[in-house]
Amino acid sequence: MSGAKYLLLALPSSVARSNDPEDAFEALTSVISSSLNKNDASIHRFPIPEFKIGTLDALVLQADELAKLDANVEAAVVKVADVLKSVVGEENAEGHKTVNDRPVEDYLQGFSWNKVKYRSDKSIAQLLDSLHKEVISLDNDIKTKFTAYQQVKSNLVSVQRKQTGNLSTRSLATILKQSDFVPPSEYLQTQLIAVPKPLERDWLKSYETLSPMVVPRSSREIQRDSEFILYSCVIFKKYSGEFASKARAAKFTPREFAWSEGAAEEDEREARDVEAHERRLSGETLRLARTGYSDLFQAWVHVKALRVFVESVLRYGLPLEFVSAIIQTNPKNAKKIKAQLDAAYSYLGGNAFGRDKKGNIKDDVGDLGAGMLGDTEYSAYCYFEFDAI
């Protein structure tokens, strides 16, 4: 769902008197539904397997590494989403943002850990390394393909400009005839100039004096369009560079063209080849971007799942008794939900952080809080927000 806000959180099972995860989830659901209509938000279980746990120091270090990896994967997802927009247009890109051929919201609502791709019997450090390498590889592949596509697209624009532009930019192959040029000579050459219509009189008055050795009265109109007039004149080759430089200074546009038989056919063949190449690369880039979006988004969510697991262990300790959930809503309601969660579960923060007179966690959590939080604002419970990209 475009514009959706997702809230990913974990609570200890002790939030329910029975200490049962199912009862804890029901209690969480009640907190969310108490202040919102049914259509304002949806809450779903977010099952996370149990991973091998190392030392406390290792977990703290991994929490920091996961925060950095989370930001890197998010940036990669944003980039591939931009590639999709570039290839198919912003209005059509949303239809290509799927995960395993499912809409993003369906994937998140029915999330299950991919035990084939990310084996849960591996250590967290091994999973971190695997995810990091996967993201770098996918990001590089997409970047390489998109760069090639952009180059071909730029070439296509240039070719199309040559076919449809004005006389200062378009190809002259279909306009000029061999008779428009002086016969091959050791000394003389034909110079082509695109003259802006408002400057036609200036051209006719000045072209003979732009450089030495311009053949008098050699200027001849070849064709005109709505903006320019294509003129030719004859000069001595020795002064062609000076003539072109002075012409540019006078706001005329020198056109480089060497007559050859079949030039028009060559231009048409080039245009067909570039158009075919652009279509092929467009399809390849779109397929790679669709697959890349799916794979990168999955990697991103698995990184977030690892973050929830690691932070839950750090916050709630052992044994592993916590329930994780994902809430789908919009940015406006996300603030209401966060306020409800804070009101219900601020007591989980204990006495480590300052509180106001009502018992709520203060915004100023101090150095200790800042060290635990990493890239997020402090919550008394494990909590992350992210947007649908």
Side-chain angles (χ1 to χ4, degrees), residues 77-89 93 142-143 146 149 285-286 288-289:
V77 174
V78 170
K79 283 190 284 186
V80 74
D82 288 341
V83 169
L84 286 170
K85 291 177 185 178
S86 178
V87 176
V88 299
I142 294 167
K143 181 180 179 180
F146 185 55
Y149 170 68
T285 305
L286 177 58
L288 182 60

Side-chain angles (χ1 to χ4, degrees), residues 288-324:
L288 182 60
R290 280 175 57 93
T291 302
Y293 181 88
S294 176
D295 291 344
L296 284 168
F297 197 94
Q298 287 183 76
W300 189 31
V301 178
H302 280 74
V303 169
K304 288 190 176 296
L306 281 173
R307 292 190 73 183
V308 170
F309 178 84
V310 169
E311 183 165 338
S312 294
V313 175
L314 290 173
R315 284 175 177 269
Y316 311 136
L318 297 174
L320 297 173
E321 295 178 349
F322 64 90
V323 60
S324 50

